[in-house]
Protein backbone atom coordinates (compact mmCIF):
# COMPACT_ATOMS: atom_id res chain seq x y z
CA UNK A 1 0.00 0.00 0.00
CA UNK A 2 1.67 3.20 -1.17
CA UNK A 3 -1.19 5.59 -0.63
CA UNK A 4 -2.27 8.25 1.77
CA UNK A 5 -6.05 8.12 2.10
CA UNK A 6 -8.06 11.13 3.13
CA UNK A 7 -11.73 11.24 4.06
CA UNK A 8 -14.08 12.79 3.35
CA UNK A 9 -13.23 14.01 -0.15
CA UNK A 10 -15.62 16.93 0.16
CA UNK A 11 -17.07 18.63 3.23
CA UNK A 12 -19.47 21.52 3.62
CA UNK A 13 -19.87 22.83 7.14
CA UNK A 14 -21.46 25.75 8.91
CA UNK A 15 -19.50 28.11 11.10
CA UNK A 16 -20.95 26.58 14.27
CA UNK A 17 -20.33 22.96 13.29
CA UNK A 18 -17.68 20.58 14.56
CA UNK A 19 -16.22 18.18 12.04
CA UNK A 20 -13.08 16.10 11.58
CA UNK A 21 -10.84 15.29 8.65
CA UNK A 22 -9.14 11.93 8.60
CA UNK A 23 -5.87 10.79 7.05
CA UNK A 24 -4.53 7.26 6.97
CA UNK A 25 -1.38 5.60 5.66
CA UNK A 26 -0.01 2.09 5.97
CA UNK A 27 3.46 2.64 4.56
CA UNK A 28 5.13 2.65 7.97
CA UNK A 29 5.83 6.36 7.66
CA UNK A 30 6.50 8.01 11.01
CA UNK A 31 6.05 11.63 9.94
CA UNK A 32 2.69 13.01 8.92
CA UNK A 33 1.73 16.50 7.84
CA UNK A 34 -1.31 18.71 7.36
CA UNK A 35 -1.29 21.36 4.62
CA UNK A 36 -3.83 23.96 3.59
CA UNK A 37 -4.02 24.95 -0.06
CA UNK A 38 -6.06 27.88 -1.36
CA UNK A 39 -6.97 28.14 -5.02
CA UNK A 40 -4.01 28.87 -7.29
CA UNK A 41 -1.61 28.90 -4.35
CA UNK A 42 0.98 26.35 -3.23
CA UNK A 43 0.33 24.18 -0.17
CA UNK A 44 1.03 25.84 3.18
CA UNK A 45 2.26 23.72 6.05
CA UNK A 46 0.01 23.65 9.11
CA UNK A 47 1.23 20.83 11.38
CA UNK A 48 3.92 18.16 11.50
CA UNK A 49 3.66 15.01 13.57
CA UNK A 50 6.70 12.86 14.15
CA UNK A 51 6.38 9.53 15.92
CA UNK A 52 2.86 10.51 16.95
CA UNK A 53 4.02 13.70 18.62
CA UNK A 54 3.32 17.20 17.38
CA UNK A 55 6.65 18.70 16.36
CA UNK A 56 5.65 21.74 14.31
CA UNK A 57 2.64 24.01 14.58
CA UNK A 58 2.92 26.81 12.04
CA UNK A 59 0.94 29.33 14.11
CA UNK A 60 -2.36 27.79 13.12
CA UNK A 61 -5.51 29.16 14.84
CA UNK A 62 -6.89 27.02 17.65
CA UNK A 63 -10.07 26.32 15.70
CA UNK A 64 -7.90 23.71 13.96
CA UNK A 65 -6.89 20.93 16.33
CA UNK A 66 -4.72 18.05 15.10
CA UNK A 67 -4.58 14.62 16.64
CA UNK A 68 -2.43 11.58 15.94
CA UNK A 69 -4.02 8.56 17.66
CA UNK A 70 -1.45 6.11 16.25
CA UNK A 71 1.31 5.89 13.68
CA UNK A 72 -1.11 5.29 10.80
CA UNK A 73 -3.77 7.88 11.54
CA UNK A 74 -3.88 11.65 11.58
CA UNK A 75 -6.99 13.68 12.29
CA UNK A 76 -7.75 17.36 11.98
CA UNK A 77 -10.62 18.51 14.19
CA UNK A 78 -12.46 21.60 13.01
CA UNK A 79 -14.58 23.89 15.17
CA UNK A 80 -16.04 27.35 14.63
CA UNK A 81 -14.38 27.81 11.26
CA UNK A 82 -14.65 30.93 9.14
CA UNK A 83 -15.52 31.14 5.44
CA UNK A 84 -11.89 32.07 4.70
CA UNK A 85 -10.90 28.62 5.98
CA UNK A 86 -12.47 27.11 2.86
CA UNK A 87 -9.63 25.37 1.03
CA UNK A 88 -8.17 22.04 -0.01
CA UNK A 89 -6.68 20.31 3.03
CA UNK A 90 -3.88 17.94 2.16
CA UNK A 91 -2.33 15.29 4.32
CA UNK A 92 1.15 13.95 3.55
CA UNK A 93 3.51 11.44 5.04
CA UNK A 94 7.18 10.57 4.81
CA UNK A 95 9.48 7.96 6.28
CA UNK A 96 10.48 10.44 8.95
CA UNK A 97 10.92 14.18 9.37
CA UNK A 98 14.33 14.09 7.72
CA UNK A 99 13.41 12.01 4.68
CA UNK A 100 11.61 13.68 1.83
CA UNK A 101 12.12 11.02 -0.80
CA UNK A 102 8.78 9.30 -1.14
CA UNK A 103 6.99 12.21 0.47
CA UNK A 104 3.44 11.26 -0.43
CA UNK A 105 0.35 13.42 -0.51
CA UNK A 106 -3.21 12.29 -0.02
CA UNK A 107 -5.87 13.36 -2.49
CA UNK A 108 -7.17 16.00 -0.12
CA UNK A 109 -10.42 17.12 1.44
CA UNK A 110 -12.09 20.07 -0.23
CA UNK A 111 -13.65 22.04 2.61
CA UNK A 112 -16.30 24.71 2.18
CA UNK A 113 -17.34 26.75 5.21
CA UNK A 114 -20.72 28.45 4.83
CA UNK B 1 13.21 33.46 5.33
CA UNK B 2 13.48 30.69 2.73
CA UNK B 3 12.19 31.62 -0.70
CA UNK B 4 11.33 29.56 -3.78
CA UNK B 5 10.26 31.29 -6.99
CA UNK B 6 8.91 29.59 -10.08
CA UNK B 7 8.62 30.97 -13.58
CA UNK B 8 6.74 31.40 -15.74
CA UNK B 9 3.50 31.62 -13.77
CA UNK B 10 1.66 29.94 -16.59
CA UNK B 11 2.10 28.91 -20.19
CA UNK B 12 0.09 27.51 -23.04
CA UNK B 13 1.68 25.18 -25.59
CA UNK B 14 0.53 22.78 -28.29
CA UNK B 15 0.98 19.03 -28.25
CA UNK B 16 4.45 18.06 -29.30
CA UNK B 17 6.09 21.23 -28.01
CA UNK B 18 8.85 21.22 -25.40
CA UNK B 19 8.45 23.22 -22.21
CA UNK B 20 11.04 24.36 -19.71
CA UNK B 21 10.00 25.34 -16.21
CA UNK B 22 12.26 27.26 -13.87
CA UNK B 23 12.63 27.15 -10.12
CA UNK B 24 15.05 29.40 -8.23
CA UNK B 25 15.64 29.25 -4.52
CA UNK B 26 17.21 31.14 -1.65
CA UNK B 27 17.32 28.68 1.18
CA UNK B 28 19.43 28.39 4.30
CA UNK B 29 20.92 24.92 4.79
CA UNK B 30 19.65 23.69 1.44
CA UNK B 31 19.44 19.90 1.18
CA UNK B 32 17.47 19.06 -1.94
CA UNK B 33 14.82 20.17 -4.39
CA UNK B 34 11.59 18.36 -5.21
CA UNK B 35 9.32 18.61 -8.22
CA UNK B 36 5.63 17.72 -8.10
CA UNK B 37 2.80 17.63 -10.62
CA UNK B 38 -0.61 18.68 -9.35
CA UNK B 39 -3.69 18.08 -11.43
CA UNK B 40 -6.99 18.18 -9.62
CA UNK B 41 -6.00 17.19 -6.14
CA UNK B 42 -2.89 15.69 -4.62
CA UNK B 43 0.58 16.72 -5.80
CA UNK B 44 2.33 13.68 -7.22
CA UNK B 45 6.06 13.28 -6.78
CA UNK B 46 8.24 13.65 -9.88
CA UNK B 47 11.87 14.15 -8.90
CA UNK B 48 14.14 14.75 -5.97
CA UNK B 49 17.43 16.50 -6.81
CA UNK B 50 20.29 16.64 -4.40
CA UNK B 51 23.44 16.80 -6.51
CA UNK B 52 24.32 19.57 -8.93
CA UNK B 53 24.58 18.84 -12.65
CA UNK B 54 23.11 15.35 -12.61
CA UNK B 55 20.08 15.06 -14.83
CA UNK B 56 17.20 12.92 -13.67
CA UNK B 57 14.87 11.50 -16.29
CA UNK B 58 11.50 9.84 -16.26
CA UNK B 59 10.01 9.27 -19.68
CA UNK B 60 9.54 12.63 -21.34
CA UNK B 61 10.34 14.54 -18.16
CA UNK B 62 13.79 15.50 -17.03
CA UNK B 63 15.19 17.79 -14.39
CA UNK B 64 18.52 19.18 -13.30
CA UNK B 65 19.81 21.19 -10.37
CA UNK B 66 22.44 23.94 -10.34
CA UNK B 67 23.55 24.51 -6.76
CA UNK B 68 25.97 27.26 -7.74
CA UNK B 69 23.35 29.42 -9.45
CA UNK B 70 20.59 28.18 -7.11
CA UNK B 71 18.05 26.98 -9.60
CA UNK B 72 16.50 23.93 -11.14
CA UNK B 73 14.72 23.34 -14.42
CA UNK B 74 12.08 20.82 -15.37
CA UNK B 75 11.81 19.90 -19.04
CA UNK B 76 8.90 18.19 -20.70
CA UNK B 77 9.46 17.06 -24.27
CA UNK B 78 6.83 16.05 -26.83
CA UNK B 79 4.09 17.41 -24.58
CA UNK B 80 0.70 15.76 -24.43
CA UNK B 81 -2.65 17.07 -23.19
CA UNK B 82 -2.22 14.87 -20.13
CA UNK B 83 0.76 16.99 -19.12
CA UNK B 84 -1.61 19.89 -18.38
CA UNK B 85 -1.22 20.55 -14.67
CA UNK B 86 0.38 22.81 -12.13
CA UNK B 87 4.04 21.97 -11.57
CA UNK B 88 5.35 22.73 -8.11
CA UNK B 89 8.91 22.81 -6.94
CA UNK B 90 9.83 22.72 -3.27
CA UNK B 91 13.11 23.15 -1.44
CA UNK B 92 14.13 20.97 1.48
CA UNK B 93 16.17 22.83 4.07
CA UNK B 94 17.97 21.17 6.93
CA UNK B 95 16.61 22.28 10.23
CA UNK B 96 17.72 21.57 13.75
CA UNK B 97 17.13 17.98 14.65
CA UNK B 98 14.16 18.75 16.82
CA UNK B 99 12.32 20.53 14.05
CA UNK B 100 13.39 18.34 11.15
CA UNK B 101 13.78 19.42 7.58
CA UNK B 102 11.60 22.15 6.20
CA UNK B 103 9.77 22.01 2.87
CA UNK B 104 9.10 25.34 1.12
CA UNK B 105 6.95 25.39 -2.01
CA UNK B 106 7.21 27.73 -4.95
CA UNK B 107 4.07 29.31 -6.36
CA UNK B 108 3.79 26.78 -9.16
CA UNK B 109 3.68 27.00 -12.96
CA UNK B 110 0.38 26.26 -14.62
CA UNK B 111 0.89 24.42 -17.91
CA UNK B 112 -1.88 24.00 -20.46
CA UNK B 113 -1.20 21.74 -23.42
CA UNK B 114 -3.64 22.22 -26.28
CA UNK B 115 -4.35 19.49 -28.84
Amino acid sequence: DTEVTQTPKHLVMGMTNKKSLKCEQHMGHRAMYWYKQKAKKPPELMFVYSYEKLSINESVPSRFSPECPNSSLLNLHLHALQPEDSALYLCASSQDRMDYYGYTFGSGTRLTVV
Amino acid sequence: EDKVVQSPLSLVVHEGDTVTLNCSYEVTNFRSLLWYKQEKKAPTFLFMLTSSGIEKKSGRLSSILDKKELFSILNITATQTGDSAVYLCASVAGGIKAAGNKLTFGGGTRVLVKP
Side-chain angles (χ1 to χ4, degrees):
Chain A
D1 187 354
T2 57
E3 286 189 351
V4 174
T5 304
Q6 287 188 245
T7 54
K9 294 194 185 310
H10 300 273
L11 178 63
V12 179
M13 61 185 289
M15 289 189 282
T16 57
N17 291 159
K18 282 186 182 180
K19 296 284 184 184
S20 296
L21 310 185
K22 184 177 169 182
C23 174
E24 194 167 359
Q25 56 86 17
H26 297 284
M27 295 179 279
H29 288 176
R30 302 311 299 269
M32 295 183 77
Y33 313 81
W34 279 116
Y35 285 87
K36 174 182 177 180
Q37 187 176 24
K38 300 284 274 183
K40 299 188 180 180
K41 298 283 186 185
E44 294 175 20
L45 183 66
M46 298 174 74
F47 301 105
V48 179
Y49 269 83
S50 177
Y51 291 84
E52 296 97 71
K53 290 186 181 173
L54 182 66
S55 63
I56 294 178
N57 175 343
E58 292 283 1
S59 304
V60 179
S62 59
R63 57 185 185 268
F64 295 92
S65 173
E67 178 199 18
C68 191
N70 60 56
S71 60
S72 300
L73 274 176
L74 185 66
N75 298 320
L76 185 64
H77 302 299
L78 314 172
H79 173 54
L81 294 194
Q82 303 297 310
E84 59 264 28
D85 296 321
S86 298
L88 179 67
Y89 287 83
L90 292 164
C91 174
S93 71
S94 66
Q95 191 63 41
D96 58 41
R97 260 192 331 229
M98 308 301 281
D99 173 14
Y100 280 87
Y101 196 83
Y103 197 99
T104 304
F105 282 91
S107 57
T109 294
R110 192 163 295 283
L111 173 69
T112 304
V113 181
V114 296
Chain B
E1 188 180 327
D2 295 343
K3 194 173 162 186
V4 178
V5 178
Q6 291 185 246
S7 63
L9 288 178
S10 65
L11 71 162
V12 180
V13 299
H14 288 93
E15 275 192 315
D17 289 349
T18 294
V19 299
T20 299
L21 310 182
N22 302 293
C23 175
S24 64
Y25 61 91
E26 292 175 30
V27 173
T28 304
N29 295 325
F30 175 83
R31 293 282 177 88
S32 55
L33 194 119
L34 308 178
W35 282 98
Y36 287 88
K37 176 183 181 182
Q38 187 172 25
E39 295 174 85
K40 290 179 183 175
K41 286 233 175 154
T44 52
F45 175 82
L46 295 176
F47 298 109
M48 175 169 161
L49 304 159
T50 306
S51 300
S52 207
I54 298 174
E55 186 182 50
K56 292 213 171 177
K57 291 195 79 167
S58 176
R60 296 175 294 100
L61 275 66
S62 63
S63 186
I64 198 162
L65 177 67
D66 186 328
K67 291 167 79 173
K68 186 179 173 187
E69 301 296 330
L70 308 182
F71 76 91
S72 173
I73 60 171
L74 175 69
N75 279 318
I76 311 173
T77 57
T79 50
Q80 302 171 358
T81 55
D83 296 324
S84 297
V86 174
Y87 291 83
L88 295 165
C89 72
S91 67
V92 181
I96 57 172
K97 232 176 182 179
N101 287 348
K102 186 181 172 187
L103 197 69
T104 303
F105 281 92
T109 294
R110 188 172 297 272
V111 175
L112 176 61
V113 181
K114 289 188 171 182

